[in-house]
Amino acid sequence: MKGKKKNTRLGLLTAVVIVVVAVTGSTPLAAQDGPTLYKTKCAMCHGADGKGETPMGKKLNIRDLGSPEVQKQTDAELTTIISKGKGKMPPFEGKLTAEQIGQVLAHIRELGKKK
Ligand code: HEC
């Protein structure tokens, strides 16, 4: 009888641990970071779909990020543009980590695939 009660409590503890691990440990945050960063840092100029159809994008004559002209550039070239800026494009070095720049770049590649 006593043993059984202990087991139940242990089982409950295990369940709590599993829930905590599930909530904190395995959230796919990394997978969401690219689109989220893009939406908060880039979309006001480049548009949610990268086409640059925003008042700012039209004024600044931004090329469609998903277009072949932009997509044909290498990861290194695009990373440099994002980090150092280009023309009216503000530099994001210091505002985003290298890892985050990699994540938005991956998102730009996704925009290219959707064509
Ligand atoms: C203030 C508006 C603005 C914001 C915010 C902005 N950009 Fe830009 N971006 C521009 C402009 C303007 C250009 C075109 C620069 C040029 O060609 O002279 C550009 C160009 C680019 C290019 C090169 C496209 C090409 O024509 O080859 C990439 C890649 C890019 N931006 C990525 C990003 C990413 C990623 C972010 C967010 C981290 C971002 N931009 C945020 C304005 C912006």
Side-chain angles (χ1 to χ4, degrees), residues 49-99:
D49 54 4
K51 291 205 171 79
E53 285 165 352
T54 62
M56 191 77 106
K58 283 186 184 142
K59 206 168 79 187
L60 300 175
N61 230 339
I62 305 183
R63 293 197 287 186
D64 179 354
L65 291 181
S67 69
E69 293 77 40
V70 175
Q71 291 289 328
K72 74 173 183 223
Q73 298 175 86
T74 64
D75 284 359
E77 287 169 324
L78 293 176
T79 302
T80 303
I81 293 172
I82 300 168
S83 334
K84 309 281 181 201
K86 178 186 172 196
K88 293 268 184 332
M89 159 89 190
F92 280 89
E93 201 172 40
K95 291 182 215 158
L96 297 177
T97 63
E99 196 193 352

Side-chain angles (χ1 to χ4, degrees), residues 2-3 12 34 67 70 76 84 94 107 113:
K2 239 182 185 172
L12 206 77
S67 69
V70 175
K84 309 281 181 201
H107 184 65
K113 281 184 208 153

Side-chain angles (χ1 to χ4, degrees), residues 2-15:
K2 239 182 185 172
K4 205 174 176 192
K5 209 169 187 180
K6 212 173 177 181
N7 268 343
T8 316
R9 207 185 287 163
L10 213 79
L12 206 77
L13 196 75
T14 312

Side-chain angles (χ1 to χ4, degrees), residues 2 17 44 107-108 114:
K2 239 182 185 172
V17 169
M44 67 282 239
H107 184 65
I108 291 176
K114 279 183 190 138

